[in-house]
């Protein structure tokens, strides 16, 4: 079951049905959490606060324009690769029935880059940025500081994609194993936003405590993916040593997010430094995933061709011996 998805038609139908069946659960849990947290904190729009609006206008957006262009180019590359893979696989699969599809990872990468490009474009202009006021509930942060809500929206879409890529496409874990840490992660991301937007110091730190507890729970599930992969994956699986790092690296990446987030919540860094830290981590993780799947797909193609050539060579030797 590595790298997903098998090419047999019934299996592909089953995979798509399972994925579509899980989507309403993921979306419902995420939207319900947003609704509850939004009601609890009643956030104030940043544009309605003179101090917060001034802060947005002084935020440099030029590098978001550059990143938008780069992300659109990367999304276009994945789309072209997706089309080429789909068209080329029709004839190839007739010759090599066990060849596995690369369409799902390419589609998810293109979608991820597209979502991030839209987010970056919104960040490039103050009047387009979705942000709210971060109240000085405990006296640790500066008054009028913005909470970049758009960043949390982007995470709510792209984090599930990262989980499917790492857990399902790379490590071959079934979707029901991927589902729990995916939902838990989306919930604690929203809790982090609620903590930043809360007007109550007590509620703020309650959200923070629960969020980091959920991070530990989700990380334990992700480490379990790797353990099961190490025990079940064939030794000759292409890029066997790289695949676990898509999950382990994601845990490390989220931990670094937590360091930046806590530094911001404690008032150790300002909002611009926080945003730049999140930008580097977000952009870097997406680039790393793209590079990892380049290696995985190239290694799988190489192994597939090698296996075919070996079988052809053995067949030719057999024919010669008969003659």
């Amino acid at each position: 079951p590595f790298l997903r998805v098998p090419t047999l038609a019934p299996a592909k139908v089953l995979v798509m049905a399972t994925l579509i069946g899980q989507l309403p659960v993921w979306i419902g849990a995420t939207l319900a959490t947003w609704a509850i947290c939004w009601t609890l904190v009643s956030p104030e729009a940043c544009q309605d606060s003179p101090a917060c609006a001034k802060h947005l206008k002084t935020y440099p957006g030029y590098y978001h324009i550059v990143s938008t262009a780069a992300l659109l180019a990367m999304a276009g590359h994945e789309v072209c690769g997706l089309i080429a893979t789909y068209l080329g696989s029709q004839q190839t699969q007739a010759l090599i029935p066990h060849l596995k599809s690369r369409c799902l990872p390419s589609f998810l990468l293109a979608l991820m880059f597209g979502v991030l490009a839209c987010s970056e474009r919104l960040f490039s202009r103050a009047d387009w940025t979705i942000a709210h006021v971060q109240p000085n509930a405990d006296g640790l942060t500066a008054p009028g500081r913005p909470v970049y809500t758009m960043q949390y929206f982007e995470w709510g879409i792209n984090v599930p994609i990262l989980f499917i890529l790492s857990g399902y496409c790379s490590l071959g874990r079934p979707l029901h194993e991927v589902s729990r840490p995916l939902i838990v992660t989306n919930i604690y991301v929203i809790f982090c936003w609620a903590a930043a937007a809360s007007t109550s110091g007590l509620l703020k730190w309650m959200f923070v405590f629960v969020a980091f507890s959920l991070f530990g729970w989700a990380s334990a599930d992700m480490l379990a993916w790797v353990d099961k992969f190490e025990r079940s994956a064939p030794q000759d699986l292409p890029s066997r040593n790289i695949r676990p790092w898509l999950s382990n690296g994601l845990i490390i990446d989220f931990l670094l997010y937590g360091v930046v987030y806590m530094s911001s919540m404690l008032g150790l860094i300002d909002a611009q430094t926080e945003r730049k830290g999140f930008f580097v981590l977000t952009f870097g993780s997406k680039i790393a995933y793209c590079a990892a799947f380049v290696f995985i797909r190239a290694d799988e193609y190489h192994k597939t061709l090698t296996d075919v050539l070996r079988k052809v060579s053995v067949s030719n030797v057999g024919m010669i011996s008969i003659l």
Side-chain angles (χ1 to χ4, degrees):
F2 315 92
L3 148 61
R4 305 270 187 165
V5 180
T7 58
L8 297 177
K12 287 199 291 186
V13 171
L14 179 61
V15 166
M16 290 307 299
T18 305
L19 184 58
I20 293 172
Q22 293 286 345
L23 277 176
V25 179
W26 300 342
I27 295 171
T30 302
L31 292 180
T33 307
W34 269 115
I36 294 170
C37 290
W38 202 282
T39 303
L40 286 174
V41 303
S42 300
E44 178 187 0
C46 193
Q47 287 78 3
D48 295 338
S49 169
C52 191
K54 181 180 179 181
H55 192 105
L56 285 182
K57 291 177 181 178
T58 60
Y59 177 72
Y62 59 89
Y63 58 85
H64 290 295
I65 297 176
V66 176
S67 64
T68 299
L71 288 164
L72 287 175
M74 295 170 69
H77 174 269
E78 290 296 334
V79 169
C80 292
L82 175 63
I83 295 172
T85 299
Y86 177 77
L87 295 177
S89 65
Q90 303 305 305
Q91 294 179 342
T92 307
Q93 289 173 5
L95 299 173
I96 313 174
H98 65 277
L99 183 65
K100 295 173 183 177
S101 174
R102 279 81 176 173
C103 292
L104 181 59
S106 294
F107 170 75
L108 293 175
L109 286 169
L111 179 61
M112 180 176 68
F113 288 136
V115 170
L116 187 55
C118 293
S119 174
E120 288 296 300
R121 186 67 183 99
L122 292 173
F123 272 123
S124 67
R125 289 186 54 173
D127 53 334
W128 291 354
T129 301
I130 302 174
H132 293 87
V133 178
Q134 180 173 350
N136 188 18
D138 51 12
L140 295 176
T141 55
R145 179 177 176 148
V147 179
Y148 293 101
T149 306
M150 186 64 221
Q151 178 72 81
Y152 295 87
F153 287 165
E154 182 264 320
W155 287 337
I157 298 172
N158 277 343
V159 164
I161 294 176
L162 291 173
F163 271 70
I164 297 171
L165 286 170
S166 62
Y168 179 72
C169 295
S170 178
L171 298 180
R173 307 318 309 159
L175 283 173
H176 68 82
E177 283 188 23
V178 177
S179 185
R180 186 173 71 181
L182 184 155
I183 293 173
V184 169
T185 300
N186 264 11
I187 290 173
Y188 77 67
V189 164
I190 299 169
F191 281 3
C192 288
W193 169 85
S198 176
T199 56
S200 166
L202 177 61
L203 188 60
K204 168 184 175 178
W205 290 108
M206 284 179 60
F207 273 127
V208 170
F209 175 78
V210 174
F212 275 88
S213 299
L214 293 177
F215 164 72
W217 185 18
S219 298
D221 281 346
M222 295 170 71
L223 290 173
W225 296 348
V226 176
D227 180 62
K228 293 176 181 177
F229 171 82
E230 294 289 356
R231 288 189 280 108
S232 62
Q235 291 299 317
D236 61 345
L237 181 70
S239 302
R240 194 183 192 281
N241 294 329
I242 295 177
R243 294 169 186 261
W245 282 104
L246 289 173
S247 179
N248 293 336
L250 199 57
I251 296 173
I252 296 172
D253 188 50
F254 289 167
L255 185 61
L256 293 175
Y257 274 116
V259 172
V260 175
Y261 176 79
M262 286 304 300
S263 299
S264 173
M265 295 293 278
L266 293 170
L268 301 177
I269 59 175
D270 60 18
Q272 287 194 10
T273 305
E274 174 198 27
R275 179 69 198 103
K276 290 174 182 177
F278 285 156
F279 170 80
V280 171
L281 291 172
T282 299
F283 202 87
S285 63
K286 306 306 186 291
I287 298 297
Y289 260 66
C290 183
F293 272 94
V294 168
F295 282 109
I296 291 173
R297 287 179 290 197
D299 203 10
E300 282 221 333
Y301 275 121
H302 179 266
K303 185 178 186 302
T304 299
L305 290 175
T306 301
D307 290 345
V308 171
L309 291 174
R310 186 180 294 114
K311 291 178 181 179
V312 171
S313 176
V314 171
S315 299
N316 288 340
V317 171
M319 289 296 295
I320 293 173
S321 63
I322 291 173
L323 295 175

